[in-house]
Amino acid sequence: MYSIAVDIGGTNIKAAVLNDELDIVKYVKIPTPDNKEVLIVEKVYRLIRDYIEQYALASPFIGISSAGVIDSERGEVVYTGPTIQNFDGTNFYQALSDLSNQIKIYNDVDAALLRELAFHQYEEENIFCLTLGTGIGGAFYNHKLGLYAGERHRANEIGYLLYRAEDDKTFEKRASTAALKELMQKWEFEFASNVPRLFELAETGDTLAQAILNEWATHVAEGIAQIQIMYDPGLILIGGGISAQGAALLKYIEPKVHDFLPPDYGVARLQTTQTENHAALFGVVSQR
């Protein structure tokens, strides 16, 4: 039996058909529409409808992950801030009701963390997942209580931390992968916004590449210190495409976290996620 998974991000929409073993049978990635001239919900509807017709599916399980604050019970986007315009109040359960009666929507970081936990065993009781991408997202999981969403489904919106009036920036604006790319352009890095190349050159001892990563990693570490203080997790997972850098990423961040904490405060174990590709897509169908 096939399931359909959709991951809605600020830059791209990914959609896939998966079998019971969670193998991807069909996959497509398209740019996220402006949500003005072309609505995201309409584009998602057409993608799912086409898959249903192509594979002759009858009321398949549809899992959706999306950026923003998500009310999974109502199937509604509660708040997205500047990430995606004109998206608040979009109800996917209503919009897709004629395609299936098995629909579930999650925040994208919640979905990615669910995928990680479904396929990898961690001993820690409390786990925080931090994703670095176009923006910054968070998810918190307790092994007894499950995902924690907060009173208004707005818990873990850590991208809004650390706002400073002097530069009008938040944690997200300083420490996301998008912010790293802006920094690379500011420093006139030879390979523009090629992040993998930045890490490659840093590993060879390139002083400019190392300076860029050190400046950016300081901002990442400051946010991680706030997570440590607020949640006291045993493990902090770092996800997003940049997590593929693994130890090369962590070595810039880990030593700096202590600079933003009181002496001997302690910090959780840091690790990059083991599920690098399509984590949110797998996560939304792993809960069917």
Side-chain angles (χ1 to χ4, degrees), residues 24-269:
I24 293 179
V25 177
K26 185 78 172 182
Y27 172 80
V28 66
K29 180 172 75 172
I30 63 172
T32 303
D34 61 9
N35 212 35
K36 291 181 178 179
E37 299 295 325
V38 179
L39 295 180
I40 291 172
V41 68
E42 293 176 352
K43 182 66 73 171
V44 169
Y45 182 96
R46 288 194 290 270
L47 286 170
I48 295 173
R49 182 197 60 196
D50 291 347
Y51 278 155
I52 288 174
E53 293 177 353
Q54 183 177 354
Y55 290 92
L57 305 177
S59 195
F61 180 87
I62 298 171
I64 299 172
S65 76
S66 176
V69 178
I70 306 298
D71 183 338
S72 294
E73 295 300 317
R74 296 175 57 191
E76 187 170 300
V77 179
V78 176
Y79 179 74
T80 47
T83 307
I84 303 174
Q85 296 186 19
N86 197 34
F87 205 33
D88 298 2
T90 302
N91 191 298
F92 281 90
Y93 293 172
Q94 294 176 5
L96 307 177
S97 61
D98 65 320
L99 298 179
S100 177
N101 57 12
Q102 301 183 82
I103 306 170
K104 193 69 177 177
I105 181 169
Y106 293 94
N107 164 269
D108 54 354
V109 189
D110 284 349
L113 180 54
L114 288 173
R115 166 60 173 91
E116 183 80 8
L117 297 177
F119 288 84
H120 305 286
Q121 297 297 316
Y122 292 104
E123 295 180 358
E124 290 82 358
E125 185 78 10
N126 297 285
I127 300 173
F128 195 94
C129 182
L130 163 75
T131 58
L132 305 173
T134 305
I136 289 180
F140 183 70
Y141 185 88
N142 173 277
H143 274 295
K144 294 178 181 177
L145 304 177
L147 289 170
Y148 176 70
E151 184 72 19
R152 298 183 299 153
H153 312 282
R154 296 175 191 239
N156 315 312
E157 292 295 312
I158 57 170
Y160 300 123
L161 287 173
L162 299 170
Y163 173 79
R164 297 191 185 108
E166 58 263 32
D167 61 6
D168 193 33
K169 289 184 177 180
T170 58
F171 177 42
E172 181 172 85
K173 294 298 183 181
R174 296 188 196 95
S176 62
T177 305
L180 173 59
K181 292 178 179 179
E182 289 179 6
L183 197 60
M184 293 162 69
Q185 293 172 352
K186 175 185 175 182
W187 284 61
E188 297 182 349
F189 180 61
E190 180 183 0
F191 297 94
S193 59
N194 188 327
V195 173
R197 187 65 177 137
L198 178 72
F199 277 91
E200 289 173 8
L201 287 176
E203 287 297 292
T204 67
D206 184 277
T207 55
L208 176 59
Q210 290 177 345
I212 293 171
L213 283 171
N214 274 311
E215 181 176 339
W216 171 77
T218 299
H219 296 307
V220 178
E222 185 179 13
I224 288 176
Q226 311 311 304
I227 293 168
Q228 182 63 48
I229 292 168
M230 291 186 296
Y231 292 91
D232 189 29
L235 171 67
I236 297 175
L237 293 167
I238 299 179
I242 202 167
S243 66
Q245 301 302 324
L249 169 67
L250 294 178
K251 77 175 185 179
Y252 285 96
I253 299 171
E254 280 184 306
K256 298 176 175 61
V257 177
H258 299 281
D259 295 339
F260 299 97
L261 292 169
D264 302 318
Y265 190 88
V267 67
R269 182 169 69 89

